[in-house]
Amino acid sequence: MSTTERSGAPAGKTPSTPEPASVPIKAIRLRHPWRMVFAAVIVVVFALVMIDAAFRPAYDWPSVGKYLFDRRISQAAVVTIELTVFSMVIAIVLGVILAVMRLSPNPVVKSVAWFYLWVFRGTPVYVQLTIWGLISLIYSRIDLGIPFTEPWLSFQTGDLLSLFTIAVIGLSLNEAAYMAEIVRAGLLAVDRGQEEAATALGMSWAQTMTRVILPQSMRVIIPPTGNEVISMLKTTSLVTAVPLSTELFTRSRDISAETFNPIPLLIVASLWYLLFTSILMVGQYFLEKRFARGVGDRQTEKKDPGTATGAFTGVMPVVGSDPPAVIVPPKNAPGGTR
């Protein structure tokens, strides 16, 4: 018996089936009238606030323009940036050390790190800066040498530590407690198998941390660290407790005390803070984008066009001497020929 007789159609062909009539889909866009009303209300309120601010005499916009690029303000802005950069660099280094101590199996090391975090996270930063401002009264001299013996070197605390240095120390020690928890969370986010695999490959602890663990944990560490940098920029306004009077907020406040017009100077300081914050936010975005490369970019495996939609194509062997029957999907089937 031939293949044609068994299948009822010539070999390599399938019975034609009537194609269903295609009905075009008429898409109707959903209407959201209340959403449009809410958006219109927001725009109107925003416009009213801007118009009111533009013509309100208390803001004194001419004075804002006068002092916005004043030399004293620009120098104070530089001091604010220096405080932020130095404090964050020291805080990140100390935070990494404290995070490793928290993860240490040694109970003494872990307890010391926990005590540090407990103290600096449990007290306000303004109180800490005030205490650091009184450090010369607490420790009038700084002695270097073996305890309970004659010191090798001795310095007056006020001569050794300037107000700027004290402010950096106070800010960085407080921020290190928060950075330690951020770094610890990032290290714990990396799967334990990564470290085991690196150890199996013969990598040392330093190589494992720098080449395997830290690069993967940066994706978790960078977003909160960027927020902490922005927060540190604004926290520098509290160094007046040291007292350091050369940063942006304190300098603008001193100028307003001379002009008896504080509101324009507060606006000037806010505009400078907004400028620095915007730059930091852009930098944070690109850093997050860089360290997030490869995440969520898993490409699906390429499948055969016929098997991708569930259609079957191929050659079906037939027992006997007749040639095999070729099965081809119908034209209206997904993946079929057209």
Side-chain angles (χ1 to χ4, degrees):
M1 183 181 294
S2 63
T3 307
T4 304
E5 295 176 355
R6 289 196 301 268
S7 60
K13 295 185 179 180
T14 56
S16 60
T17 57
E19 297 184 3
S22 59
V23 179
I25 299 175
K26 184 179 180 181
I28 301 176
R29 186 175 181 180
L30 295 177
R31 299 182 182 276
H32 302 279
W34 290 109
R35 181 186 299 176
M36 301 300 296
V37 171
F38 185 67
V41 170
I42 292 177
V43 172
V44 171
V45 171
F46 180 78
L48 291 176
V49 171
M50 291 295 101
I51 293 173
D52 177 78
F55 295 99
R56 187 166 292 275
Y59 290 128
D60 195 2
W61 293 108
S63 298
V64 172
K66 175 183 178 181
Y67 290 103
L68 184 60
F69 298 104
D70 186 270
R71 183 176 180 181
R72 293 170 293 180
I73 295 294
S74 59
Q75 290 176 347
V78 173
V79 173
T80 298
I81 290 296
E82 291 176 347
L83 285 171
T84 304
V85 173
F86 293 153
S87 300
M88 283 307 302
V89 170
I90 297 174
I92 290 174
V93 174
L94 290 178
V96 172
I97 296 174
L98 289 170
V100 174
M101 292 173 65
R102 284 292 310 273
L103 298 175
S104 173
N106 191 322
V108 176
V109 174
K110 183 183 297 185
S111 300
V112 170
W114 181 88
F115 180 79
Y116 181 96
L117 269 61
W118 176 65
V119 171
F120 282 93
R121 293 175 64 191
T123 54
V125 62
Y126 191 85
V127 175
Q128 297 175 25
L129 291 173
T130 304
I131 295 174
W132 280 106
L134 301 174
I135 192 66
S136 59
L137 297 179
I138 302 174
Y139 301 98
S140 59
R141 301 177 64 87
I142 298 178
D143 299 329
L144 300 178
I146 301 175
F148 309 108
T149 61
E150 188 70 20
W152 302 335
L153 296 176
S154 182
F155 305 94
Q156 291 291 335
T157 304
D159 299 335
L160 185 62
L161 300 177
S162 63
L163 293 179
F164 182 87
T165 304
I166 293 175
V168 170
I169 293 174
L171 292 173
S172 58
L173 291 181
N174 175 265
E175 183 61 31
Y178 297 92
M179 285 303 306
E181 292 299 283
I182 293 174
V183 174
R184 186 172 70 92
L187 296 177
L188 293 176
V190 180
D191 189 82
R192 181 69 177 178
Q194 299 289 323
E195 182 179 357
E196 295 176 354
T199 305
L201 292 175
M203 299 177 67
S204 63
W205 181 86
Q207 292 175 330
T208 302
M209 292 297 296
T210 56
R211 299 183 183 182
V212 179
I213 304 299
L214 283 178
Q216 297 184 63
S217 63
M218 291 300 289
R219 181 172 58 89
V220 180
I221 293 174
I222 285 180
T225 301
N227 295 335
E228 290 298 319
V229 174
I230 295 174
S231 178
M232 175 62 70
L233 175 69
K234 295 176 289 186
T235 306
T236 55
S237 61
L238 299 179
V239 296
T240 181
V242 170
L244 180 66
S245 60
T246 57
E247 52 83 30
L248 182 59
F249 172 71
T250 308
R251 179 62 71 190
S252 62
R253 189 184 61 181
D254 293 343
I255 296 176
S256 65
E258 299 174 2
T259 60
F260 300 101
N261 194 11
I263 296 178
L265 272 301
L266 290 175
I267 296 176
V268 168
S270 299
L271 291 176
W272 278 97
Y273 282 122
L274 284 173
L275 173 64
F276 295 147
T277 302
S278 302
I279 296 174
L280 292 174
M281 291 175 64
V282 172
Q284 177 183 351
Y285 167 77
F286 283 105
L287 278 177
E288 291 180 10
K289 186 176 180 180
R290 174 178 176 81
F291 283 97
R293 291 178 301 176
V295 178
D297 295 338
R298 302 288 187 266
Q299 296 182 355
T300 58
E301 298 180 0
K302 295 183 178 180
K303 300 181 179 179
D304 183 81
T307 59
T309 56
F312 176 81
T313 59
V315 179
M316 183 179 69
V318 180
V319 179
S321 60
D322 294 329
V326 179
I327 299 177
V328 181
K331 293 182 180 180
N332 59 345
T337 58
R338 298 186 182 275

